[in-house]
Amino acid sequence: MSGLVSCPEGKSLILNGRSRSFVIDRPYIVGILNVTPDSFSDGGRFTALADALRQARQMAAEGVDWIDVGGESTRPDAAQVSEQEELDRVIPVVEALSRELDSPLSIDTTKSIIAREAVAAGVEFINDISGLNFDEKMAGVVAATGAGLFVMHTRGRPHIMQQDTRYDDIVADVLTSLLMSIEIAERHGVAREKIAIDPGIGFGKDVFGNLELLRRTAALTELGRPIMLGTSRKSFIGTVVRQTNPGERLAGTLATIALGYAGGARLFRVHDVAAACQAAMMAQAVCNGAGWNPN
């Protein structure tokens, strides 16, 4: 029948963290907590522990499902920081959040030592933007700690990833790369039920590549793992909606969340939790149609 919103159907997926299990049968909102001085949108706002805790409490009050803590900017052209500096930024925040909030935590890092210490401090998931490709020890650490894992597609480290954004078939390339990341994890003993995938919107892609990945998100469901999208406030949205200020890209971000949900994504990494929750709930209701359950 024509005229229907395309919402891929499929069984609910299980996503296991270190100590918690999630049934991915609805949208999950992952709140971004960057404790960095140079992130593209909120750099410097939450570097103080008190400010980071205040932001986390606000996200929890707005309905966040879990919080993703990052101590190294991965924006294009970002410089690397030392292991010690990253530890100093993130571990006090993770320890404090683990004591104060019930919200599950993930750590956004490509370094195995940061991942290991963050899990010891209380995180459930390791969010590796390199798809296990930057640190050969990362997969073993994930397996040894029992953490859940987010693997993302990118092309090179942030300072070079935008130098080549050409693809013959971007979706095919991303699928192949993500499958390889899953296989690396499994070879090291990480159960597939612990893995979610992320196509890496904005990482080694130009505007047209990002739009194509969003248009064809449903193709990623063939990997059989939950899909996370991280589109929030990114520059390709600014290009489309003609907004140079990342803080003025909320409406564009919400459109990508709704369309991403319709394409099969269920995890959304965002800055603006309350608005994202509403957009995702609305998208879920439309996809369910007459089967929508208000409870």
Side-chain angles (χ1 to χ4, degrees):
M1 180 182 295
S2 64
L4 298 179
V5 173
S6 177
C7 299
E9 295 182 4
K11 63 181 181 180
S12 298
L13 298 172
I14 301 298
L15 180 60
N16 294 327
R18 175 180 53 83
S19 64
R20 304 192 196 189
S21 183
F22 303 85
V23 180
I24 309 300
D25 59 354
R26 63 170 180 84
Y28 280 76
I29 303 301
V30 181
I32 298 168
L33 185 59
N34 288 322
V35 290
T36 57
D38 56 346
S39 291
F40 80 95
S41 177
D42 53 5
R45 291 187 59 198
F46 310 118
T47 53
L49 179 59
D51 292 333
L53 291 176
R54 188 177 306 111
Q55 175 67 3
R57 293 185 198 109
Q58 180 64 33
M59 290 193 289
E62 293 177 352
V64 78
D65 288 294
W66 64 71
I67 296 172
D68 189 49
V69 180
E72 180 178 39
S73 175
T74 53
R75 62 176 173 77
D77 300 319
Q80 288 181 262
V81 301
S82 69
E83 290 178 344
Q84 189 58 55
E85 185 172 3
E86 191 172 345
L87 284 169
D88 291 343
R89 290 176 180 179
V90 301
I91 298 304
V93 174
V94 170
E95 290 175 338
L97 292 180
S98 296
R99 290 192 300 267
E100 181 172 332
L101 298 180
D102 187 51
S103 302
L105 306 175
S106 57
I107 184 70
D108 178 2
T109 187
T110 61
K111 301 184 181 76
S112 59
I113 187 171
I114 310 300
R116 186 181 68 234
E117 295 302 317
V119 173
V123 306
E124 290 284 332
F125 291 90
I126 296 164
N127 179 13
D128 184 356
I129 65 149
S130 81
L132 304 176
N133 288 307
F134 290 177
D135 185 337
E136 63 182 11
K137 297 179 180 179
M138 181 66 91
V141 166
V142 177
T145 60
L149 174 66
F150 305 146
V151 291
M152 196 193 80
H153 171 273
T154 189
R155 271 188 172 174
R157 295 182 182 274
H159 68 286
I160 62 169
M161 67 184 181
Q162 294 304 110
Q163 292 178 7
D164 182 9
T165 58
R166 297 167 298 172
Y167 297 84
D168 292 330
D169 184 334
I170 191 169
V171 174
D173 283 3
V174 168
L175 277 169
T176 298
S177 176
L178 290 174
L179 180 58
M180 291 175 62
S181 294
I182 291 171
E183 290 173 346
I184 292 170
E186 290 185 313
R187 283 200 303 272
H188 284 81
V190 180
R192 187 166 287 223
E193 291 74 21
K194 286 182 173 284
I195 302 171
I197 59 173
D198 182 338
I201 299 295
F203 287 79
K205 290 98 177 168
D206 61 15
V207 173
F208 303 101
N210 291 321
L211 294 174
E212 184 68 2
L213 279 170
L214 286 169
R215 189 176 74 88
R216 297 171 60 192
T217 299
L220 302 177
T221 61
E222 73 178 59
L223 294 180
R225 299 310 305 143
I227 300 167
M228 180 161 76
L229 286 182
T231 58
S232 185
R233 302 182 182 176
K234 288 190 172 174
S235 62
F236 84 101
I237 294 175
T239 299
V240 172
V241 302
R242 299 187 177 95
Q243 287 290 348
T244 58
N245 180 355
E248 298 298 324
R249 299 171 185 167
L250 176 58
T253 297
L254 299 182
T256 66
I257 291 171
L259 291 166
Y261 186 90
R266 293 295 179 266
L267 314 175
F268 302 94
R269 188 174 179 274
V270 304
H271 299 87
D272 304 284
V273 168
C277 285
Q278 291 188 19
M281 289 167 61
M282 193 68 224
Q284 181 186 27
V286 171
C287 283
N288 288 344
W292 174 65
N293 184 347
N295 299 316

